[in-house]
Amino acid sequence: MVNRPRRLRRNAQIRDMVRETRLCITDLICPIFVVEGSGIKSEIPSLKGIYHFSIDKLEEEVKEIIALGLTSVILFGVPNRKDDFGKEASSKMGIIQKAIKEIKRVAPELYVITDVCLCQYTSHGHCGILDNSGIVDNDKTLVSLGEVALSHAISGADMVAPSDMMDGRVDYIRKVLDNNNFMDIPIMPYSAKYSSNYYGPFREAVSSSPAFGDRKTYQMDSANSDEAIREIKLDIEEGADLIIIKPALSYLDIIQRAKDNFNIPIVAYNVSGEYAMLKMAVDNGVVSEQIIYETILSIKRAGATMIITYFAKYLATKM
Ligand code: PBG
Ligand code: ZN
């Protein structure tokens, strides 16, 4: 027999030498949930092992994140005030604006990405401004998104990540940032964001479930793959610096197609439902803990450059 593939699996050294995919600490983006109030570090019931932090508790958490070697975070806010227009999302003293400043005060070296959307801030829970028939008005929403992104940049965010799925938002936000001298702030849109049941635990964590209807008029149909390629292409043409595909695990095919089609960093979002399911299985001894590394590695192998994951801190302890 000439061909014996097992030769390269004979021991740990050679397996390590020929390994094709490696997970590095800089691949991981760590989500942080920030709430109003003080003295709060409380476990999120729908996301075991993940916490809500008030501003005064961020310092300790951020120091822990840095000590683990992680280099970037993405922020999600839970505001006190909601209205039909989500005005609080761009308030100077909004929860995210305060959180950015606090994180930059204690850890200027930590790379801070912000999720730009309205759904946590609107009383109806949709990702934009509604028209008279209850449908999200695309172009009105763009104006608000521009204000939110700008307010994050002014507060010191390093990168903005619009997750709303409105048409033309990258172009719009790019112009707003540029007109205000933030031409060096990258935009990382959620380009292929599917209407997914995997966001359930997140929506519980930030109370952003739509009060009526669903997000299907703006988020993508999970049956579609060509459409993801069109969406990504448009975002790149509009000036996206990186793109997000979300969720990750049930959409590995989309990640691979994006990798084959575009020369741009691809970020995969391993979302709340994916985390919760795996975490529950591990915590109940159904599968071994090693499955977490294997699962996150599969996202990188599919073509992701970086991964937003609630397992970031856990993985960092293993690396
Ligand atoms: C806001 C937003 C959502 C997530 C990230 N940003 C929820 C949604 O669109 O319903 C989901 C993240 C997760 O499930 O971990 N638009
Ligand atoms: Zn939203």
Side-chain angles (χ1 to χ4, degrees):
M1 235 189 297
V2 174
N3 291 307
R4 288 182 183 270
R6 287 184 58 196
R7 288 182 198 121
L8 297 186
R9 297 179 205 136
R10 200 171 162 80
N11 57 41
Q13 287 96 320
I14 188 62
R15 285 197 298 272
D16 199 19
M17 287 157 71
V18 300
R19 185 159 298 128
E20 296 173 43
T21 312
R22 286 169 212 273
L23 212 49
C24 319
I25 200 124
T26 46
D27 298 339
L28 305 172
I29 299 173
C30 183
I32 301 182
F33 291 97
V34 198
V35 295
E36 296 282 3
S38 65
I40 300 168
K41 176 184 176 182
S42 60
E43 192 172 49
I44 300 170
S46 58
L47 287 169
K48 289 276 172 300
I50 305 296
Y51 295 79
H52 279 140
F53 294 95
S54 52
I55 302 283
D56 59 319
K57 288 284 189 179
L58 280 177
E59 177 164 7
E60 195 186 324
E61 174 66 5
V62 159
K63 285 185 171 156
E64 201 180 309
I65 285 172
I66 289 175
L68 286 169
L70 292 163
T71 56
S72 67
V73 294
I74 183 163
L75 306 184
F76 298 99
V78 185
N80 270 351
R81 261 193 299 274
K82 296 185 191 238
D83 62 37
D84 283 355
F85 306 97
K87 282 207 210 79
E88 182 67 13
S90 54
S91 155
K92 250 192 191 160
M93 287 303 284
I95 185 71
I96 289 298
Q97 291 78 1
K98 288 186 288 192
I100 299 166
K101 285 182 206 144
E102 173 64 3
I103 293 174
K104 284 295 175 184
R105 183 185 71 78
V106 297
E109 74 274 30
L110 191 64
Y111 198 90
V112 175
I113 305 167
T114 56
D115 182 83
V116 171
C117 201
L118 299 180
C119 48
Q120 284 108 289
Y121 303 86
T122 52
S123 31
H124 44 74
H126 279 285
C127 299
I129 316 274
L130 301 181
D131 67 15
N132 294 332
S133 59
I135 297 246
V136 173
D137 183 317
N138 193 88
D139 298 12
K140 264 190 204 152
T141 301
L142 294 185
V143 179
S144 299
L145 293 170
E147 288 167 5
V148 176
L150 179 60
S151 79
H152 291 177
I154 290 171
S155 303
D158 293 298
M159 183 191 282
V160 291
S163 66
D164 52 283
M165 286 300 277
M166 295 305 120
D167 297 331
R169 75 252 159 96
V170 177
D171 176 63
Y172 190 91
I173 292 171
R174 183 72 272 157
K175 285 184 177 129
V176 170
L177 292 178
D178 288 0
N179 289 339
N180 288 278
N181 256 309
F182 289 109
M183 46 281 275
D184 292 329
I185 300 291
I187 301 175
M188 175 169 77
Y190 293 68
S191 299
K193 176 173 178 179
Y194 287 88
S195 171
S196 169
N197 296 295
Y198 284 103
Y199 308 151
F202 174 96
R203 289 182 189 171
E204 237 177 277
V206 302
S207 48
S208 71
S209 292
F212 63 90
D214 51 40
R215 302 210 205 288
K216 289 186 197 298
T217 67
Y218 39 103
Q219 297 181 349
M220 282 180 53
D221 187 324
S222 55
N224 297 353
S225 169
D226 289 344
E227 187 188 359
I229 301 302
R230 290 200 298 277
E231 280 280 7
I232 294 167
K233 184 164 177 285
L234 285 174
D235 282 358
I236 294 173
E237 285 165 3
E238 289 178 29
D241 298 280
L242 320 79
I243 60 106
I244 302 179
I245 293 168
K246 169 187 178 191
L249 294 173
S250 292
Y251 299 83
L252 292 175
D253 57 323
I254 309 299
I255 297 172
Q256 184 165 33
R257 257 190 100 176
K259 176 73 179 165
D260 291 343
N261 276 273
F262 304 104
N263 301 306
I264 193 165
I266 294 166
V267 180
Y269 197 146
N270 175 222
V271 299
S272 57
E274 299 175 325
Y275 169 83
M277 283 165 56
L278 207 54
K279 173 88 175 132
M280 225 171 258
V282 169
D283 287 352
N284 287 295
V286 178
V287 288
S288 91
E289 197 180 305
Q290 316 292 327
I291 209 170
I292 297 171
Y293 193 92
E294 177 184 342
T295 303
I296 302 302
L297 187 70
S298 77
I299 301 172
K300 180 130 191 235
R301 195 184 60 234
T305 309
M306 283 178 277
I307 301 155
I308 303 169
T309 177
Y310 302 98
F311 286 117
K313 285 177 74 183
Y314 163 81
L315 288 168
T317 64
K318 305 279 158 200
M319 286 157 81

